[in-house]
Amino acid sequence: MAERFNVFDLFRLDGDAAMVTGAGSGIGRIAATTLASAGAKVAVTDIDGEAAEVVAEEIRQAGGEATAFTLDVADETAIVAVVDKAHAAFGRIDILVNNAGMTRRIPTEDFPSETWHEILAVNLTSAFVASREVGRHMLAAGEGRIVNVSSIMGMSGGGLFPSIGYYSTKGALVNFTRGLAGEWGARGVRVNAIAPTFVRTKLTENLRGNREMVEKIENRTPMGRFAEPEEIAGGILYLCSRASSMVTGHVLAIDGGWLAV
Ligand SMILES: NC(=O)c1ccc[n+]([C@@H]2O[C@H](COP(=O)([O-])OP(=O)(O)OC[C@H]3O[C@@H](n4cnc5c(N)ncnc54)[C@H](O)[C@@H]3O)[C@@H](O)[C@H]2O)c1
């Protein structure tokens, strides 16, 4: 008799290994803990090694498997080394979440070139280098899933405040996702992105301290509020799992309707 189809099985990641960048807090932490709770072994990486260790320990305490690595994604050599170590530790890497990111809200006329290059390295070049390095293992295995963390600001020009480095890199991540999906699709590696709205994390702490800005954001959002980090988990798991087995090159907005209006 044919086995009964159970859609929830498609969300399980038992036997898989995952690497998440910037996993010491916020969306990266939620990505790491979610993938682990679905059964994946997780390389929890962050520039803040102590924060990465706290998240890895949280996963182990919950019965999962995780190893922490200190990784500054602006350092290409370090990405190569950590991918090697994570692959050696787990014997495979099936899932990569390119999550680490930064922002600088500065008017363009005052935006230093140094800051531009820093944002480019952290938000965009890091995703290219990590995908290339992990992608080689995925292509050799004939299977893999990459999720890039873009933003609603990668799908629009912002409008509420100046942040040209962020808008540029998050937009580039969208087309990076599409390009790589096209290149690797026939070889079993799927590449997708998420585009979250404003999420209650450290990244938006300053913004959230500005009552006028919070009101502007809430008024501009059909659902009228910021997202909680936990509300990003389902989209990440979907794109990292077999539940999305026919989905590649897609940008999933998790935005309370921001991009719809
Ligand atoms: N919070 C939001 O509103 C929002 C919205 C859309 C997209 N995003 C994106 O989500 C991602 C995660 O942001 P968050 O909101 O969770 O922020 P966060 O500040 O809570 O977490 C970012 C994590 O990345 C780490 N990090 C910073 N620079 C790094 C580097 N060079 N190398 C490695 N790790 C580094 C930090 O130590 C921190 O643990 C970013 O790419 C961000 O652009 C955030």
Side-chain angles (χ1 to χ4, degrees), residues 61-84:
Q61 288 293 327
E65 201 176 327
T67 309
F69 296 94
T70 303
L71 173 61
D72 175 358
V73 296
D75 181 345
E76 292 190 31
T77 314
I79 296 177
V80 175
V82 169
V83 169
D84 278 354

Side-chain angles (χ1 to χ4, degrees), residues 25 27 46-47 71-73 99 150 166 170 197 199 201 204:
S25 96
I27 295 171
D46 201 285
I47 191 171
L71 173 61
D72 175 358
V73 296
N99 166 76
S150 178
Y166 195 75
K170 293 298 179 180
T197 183
V199 186
T201 66
T204 57

Side-chain angles (χ1 to χ4, degrees), residues 10 190 192 237-248:
L10 301 181
R190 296 189 291 111
N192 291 290
L237 179 58
Y238 171 65
L239 294 173
C240 287
S241 70
R242 284 178 296 134
S244 62
S245 56
M246 195 56 187
V247 179
T248 197

Side-chain angles (χ1 to χ4, degrees), residues 128-159:
F128 157 66
V129 175
S131 300
R132 183 189 66 200
E133 295 303 311
V134 174
R136 287 189 186 126
H137 295 299
M138 292 175 168
L139 292 169
E143 207 272 333
R145 289 137 269 159
I146 297 173
V147 173
N148 298 312
V149 179
S150 178
S151 163
I152 49 171
M153 297 308 170
M155 309 283 279
S156 76

Side-chain angles (χ1 to χ4, degrees), residues 185-210:
R187 297 163 74 189
V189 179
R190 296 189 291 111
V191 187
N192 291 290
I194 58 167
T197 183
F198 294 87
V199 186
R200 231 173 266 282
T201 66
K202 272 194 303 192
L203 196 91
T204 57
E205 224 164 41
N206 284 348
L207 268 186
R208 284 184 283 113
N210 179 341

Side-chain angles (χ1 to χ4, degrees), residues 14-127:
D14 305 287
D16 282 354
M19 173 170 160
V20 183
T21 65
S25 96
I27 295 171
R29 173 182 159 269
I30 283 294
T33 55
T34 298
L35 299 178
S37 66
K41 304 174 187 78
V42 184
V44 180
T45 79
D46 201 285
I47 191 171
D48 180 345
E50 274 177 35
E53 182 48 42
V54 168
V55 173
E57 184 55 25
E58 182 186 348
I59 289 171
R60 291 190 291 264
Q61 288 293 327
E65 201 176 327
T67 309
F69 296 94
T70 303
L71 173 61
D72 175 358
V73 296
D75 181 345
E76 292 190 31
T77 314
I79 296 177
V80 175
V82 169
V83 169
D84 278 354
K85 281 188 209 159
H87 189 265
F90 298 140
R92 58 195 297 146
I93 304 180
D94 306 276
I95 295 164
L96 169 66
V97 181
N98 286 313
N99 166 76
M102 61 175 285
T103 187
R104 290 286 179 271
R105 300 178 190 110
I106 305 170
T108 302
E109 63 271 31
D110 301 324
F111 206 98
S113 290
E114 199 187 4
T115 308
W116 171 265
H117 290 298
E118 189 190 353
I119 292 201
L120 219 60
V122 173
N123 290 8
L124 182 61
T125 308
S126 65

